Amino acid sequence: MTTTTYYPISEETARNAHNLNSMSDYRPGSATAEYRAAVDEAAALVAEKKAKVSPFYHEKLDLLLDRYARRLADYYNAYYRNEASCPSILVSGGGNFPVNKKNKQNARRDRLWEEYNAVQGILDQIKSTGTGAVDLADPHAREILTEQLNAYQKELDTAKEANAFYRKHKTLDGCPGISRKDLEWLTRPGVFNAGENGTPLELYGCPFPSYHLQSIRGYIKRAQDRLAELDRRQAEQAQPAENLQFDGGEIVRNLEADRLQILFDEKPDEDMRAALKSNGFRWSPRYSAWQRQLTANAEAAARRVLGIK
């Protein structure tokens, strides 16, 4: 369930801005209504997204929605304050018109437009949430990866069967796994002769050429690799985390954060900091540690930088 929080819009400022820039009467509550309608659209987008992605991402989506609602309210209030700072010449007339003040207002309007675009960018973040690589910290990661792997394998099997069917029958009519839409696209006439990109049947003599099959195999390999990485991480988490002491600090395998961390008793010198950075370690103020993702390569890099055998 998505809970929407609305932030206050200054109706008084919105009314003043309207009266200084329009000949018509201000409709009470219209600024708040416009703001809430925009937030409601974002909330609908979040609800739609939640239905498609793992529950692991739901909290992030709620935070993005709240950030959008808050920053959009800040934008609206700042916009109305700016619009109320100087009247339109069509409303006030040209006599003693404050030109310099209007120029400042216009410059501020440009900056506010940049802020508005940044706020709308949060909607893009909502749309992209959960669409990238599966986060292995997601408790549903194995389920998602297995589902992906099975789907890719089914797609590969269907493509190979279609190629074999076409080689034997020289047609795709009645071919299992080929939808009507796919069939119409693969057999549409005259495209190649018209000088456009031809169908795979025209160009390669089969519905699914080798490059397409290789692409699917690549997806399968990546899903298998991610599952193997998940197995490795879960095996590590089942073992007790042992810190490695060295002269001046210790190496910590933080399983919860999925980070290999180097904690120094004192701030390392410039050369050591440069070596850490060149080996992928970054300073974490939260943990007061130099860290990178917990992998075998990270442990080897830590030993190399610290000169530990």
Side-chain angles (χ1 to χ4, degrees):
M1 181 177 178
T2 300
T3 302
T4 305
T5 299
Y6 301 105
Y7 291 85
I9 302 297
S10 174
E11 283 290 322
E12 180 180 357
T13 306
R15 182 185 300 106
N16 291 337
H18 178 87
N19 292 339
L20 288 175
N21 290 276
S22 176
M23 298 293 188
S24 63
D25 292 334
Y26 178 74
R27 183 165 54 87
S30 58
T32 296
E34 180 180 352
Y35 159 73
R36 290 197 169 199
V39 174
D40 287 343
E41 288 184 11
L45 179 63
V46 166
E48 180 182 351
K49 195 68 178 179
K50 283 183 175 180
K52 298 178 179 178
V53 301
S54 164
F56 176 76
Y57 297 103
H58 289 190
E59 182 178 359
K60 178 181 179 180
L61 287 167
D62 287 337
L63 291 173
L64 286 171
L65 175 60
D66 184 72
R67 184 185 305 168
Y68 177 80
R70 175 173 47 79
R71 287 187 59 179
L72 186 64
D74 291 343
Y75 161 77
Y76 270 106
N77 287 322
Y79 173 81
Y80 292 133
R81 284 195 301 271
N82 187 58
E83 293 302 298
S85 66
C86 186
S88 167
I89 194 172
L90 298 177
V91 174
S92 67
N96 297 320
F97 186 76
V99 176
N100 290 336
K101 194 171 185 179
K102 174 57 70 172
N103 289 338
K104 290 181 179 179
Q105 183 191 55
N106 289 336
R108 172 63 174 159
R109 188 179 290 150
D110 290 340
R111 293 193 296 272
L112 284 170
W113 179 247
E114 294 177 0
E115 170 61 14
Y116 176 78
N117 287 333
V119 174
Q120 296 307 300
I122 299 175
L123 298 179
D124 292 331
Q125 296 180 47
I126 291 173
K127 293 175 183 177
S128 64
T129 296
T131 59
V134 177
D135 191 329
L136 297 184
D138 184 344
H140 304 273
R142 185 175 299 280
E143 175 186 348
I144 296 171
L145 287 168
T146 301
E147 182 178 343
Q148 288 181 353
L149 180 60
N150 291 338
Y152 293 141
Q153 188 61 59
K154 181 179 179 181
E155 183 180 358
L156 179 62
D157 293 341
T158 298
K160 291 166 65 177
E161 290 171 3
N163 284 349
F165 186 95
Y166 186 78
R167 284 195 300 269
K168 180 177 180 180
H169 301 284
K170 302 305 178 185
T171 179
L172 288 175
D173 290 332
C175 179
I178 298 296
S179 67
R180 173 55 55 182
K181 182 177 180 181
D182 290 337
L183 182 62
E184 290 175 354
W185 184 87
L186 288 166
T187 59
R188 68 194 194 281
V191 176
F192 184 69
N193 295 331
E196 302 178 14
N197 290 331
T199 68
L201 288 176
E202 293 173 311
L203 293 172
Y204 304 101
C206 64
F208 298 100
S210 58
Y211 72 84
H212 181 83
L213 302 182
Q214 189 60 34
S215 177
I216 301 175
R217 291 189 180 99
Y219 291 129
I220 291 174
K221 178 65 164 56
R222 282 191 285 275
Q224 290 172 334
D225 289 345
R226 295 287 283 171
L227 281 167
E229 175 67 13
L230 181 59
D231 288 338
R232 184 193 65 78
R233 293 191 184 187
Q234 291 181 344
E236 287 183 343
Q237 291 173 357
Q239 300 173 358
E242 297 180 358
N243 298 343
L244 176 61
Q245 304 289 330
F246 64 89
D247 186 18
E250 65 177 337
I251 299 175
V252 177
R253 297 169 71 250
N254 189 329
L255 301 179
E256 181 178 355
D258 191 30
R259 292 294 182 267
L260 184 76
Q261 300 172 331
I262 304 177
L263 282 65
F264 292 93
D265 296 337
E266 298 180 358
K267 182 178 178 179
D269 59 29
E270 185 175 347
D271 290 342
M272 176 58 73
R273 296 198 301 272
L276 289 165
K277 291 177 182 178
S278 66
N279 281 274
F281 288 92
R282 295 294 179 265
W283 173 250
S284 169
R286 176 183 178 184
Y287 292 105
S288 297
W290 289 86
Q291 63 179 27
R292 57 180 280 187
Q293 188 175 16
L294 180 57
T295 64
N297 288 337
E299 297 197 22
R303 289 176 175 271
R304 183 169 58 252
V305 170
L306 298 171
I308 301 174
K309 300 295 186 179

